[in-house]
Amino acid sequence: PGWRRPLPPALARRWTRHRLGIVAAIEHFTAALGGWLLAARAFDERLEPVDPVMLDMLRWHAAEEVEHRAVAFDLYVDQGGGYLERLVTTAEVVPVMVGLWITGTAFLLRHDPTRPGRPTVGTFRRAAREASVDLDKLAVDRDFFARLFSGRRRAVCRRTQ
């Protein structure tokens, strides 16, 4: 719009880099979730079978998230993004992502015909317990986030691809 003045060049570059950092942080979270979904065999071992078409689609989407996880980060680094700025950006993203995941889970529980009533923390815990997911079988790499935010970032991508 005409009422908006352009930012000074240095501030415009910083604002662009900050927005790239936000996208990179979100992509790191979705890639970690995608990696977990690809490694999780608990869906195959459930007593109540999961629809194989939906499971294939979920795993395909997880693979897609893992595949393009470094694009925004590489651009962020190319634009001069550093470690401290990345930490600040991640601190901004974490509460938003957690809030979205809680809201999404509540929405799914609210619309699940097998779970009548209003979703509560207890409802979520019971649903998680009934899924009988053995965390040891998920093969979650406990050092993934530590390596992700350390200087060994590129080694993480090569190792997990």
Side-chain angles (χ1 to χ4, degrees):
W3 55 268
R4 212 163 90 181
R5 286 185 285 177
L7 293 172
L11 192 55
R13 280 191 302 278
R14 189 173 182 155
W15 176 234
T16 299
R17 190 174 60 234
H18 182 73
R19 290 181 294 162
L20 278 170
I22 289 171
V23 173
I26 292 168
E27 289 295 332
H28 283 310
F29 280 102
T30 58
L33 183 59
W36 175 80
L37 282 167
L38 290 174
R41 294 295 161 225
F43 297 110
D44 301 314
E45 299 166 0
R46 283 183 48 124
L47 296 176
E48 184 181 316
V50 177
D51 181 347
V53 174
M54 292 302 292
L55 189 54
D56 284 347
M57 190 166 64
L58 182 65
R59 286 186 173 145
W60 174 85
H61 185 71
E64 179 196 39
E65 290 297 332
V66 170
E67 180 183 26
H68 73 266
R69 71 179 168 257
V71 175
F73 177 79
D74 289 343
L75 185 56
Y76 167 79
V77 170
D78 185 64
Q79 295 299 309
Y83 184 75
L84 182 60
E85 188 176 8
R86 185 171 44 166
L87 288 177
V88 170
T89 305
T90 302
E92 293 171 353
V93 168
V94 168
V96 174
M97 293 297 289
V98 169
L100 288 172
W101 282 331
I102 290 170
T103 303
T105 301
F107 176 84
L108 292 173
L109 285 171
R110 204 170 35 250
H111 290 86
D112 185 351
T114 65
R115 301 191 184 286
R118 189 169 180 263
T120 63
V121 172
T123 309
F124 177 75
R125 285 184 170 173
R126 276 190 300 282
R129 235 187 344 262
E130 290 170 13
S132 65
V133 175
D134 183 357
L135 292 177
D136 292 331
K137 290 183 179 179
L138 296 178
V140 175
D141 183 355
R142 300 190 194 300
D143 295 326
F144 180 80
F145 286 105
R147 289 192 316 269
L148 191 64
F149 291 105
S150 75
R152 299 182 299 161
R153 161 68 183 67
R154 299 224 183 267
V156 171
C157 288
R158 280 194 299 274
R159 191 173 318 132
T160 57
Q161 282 183 347

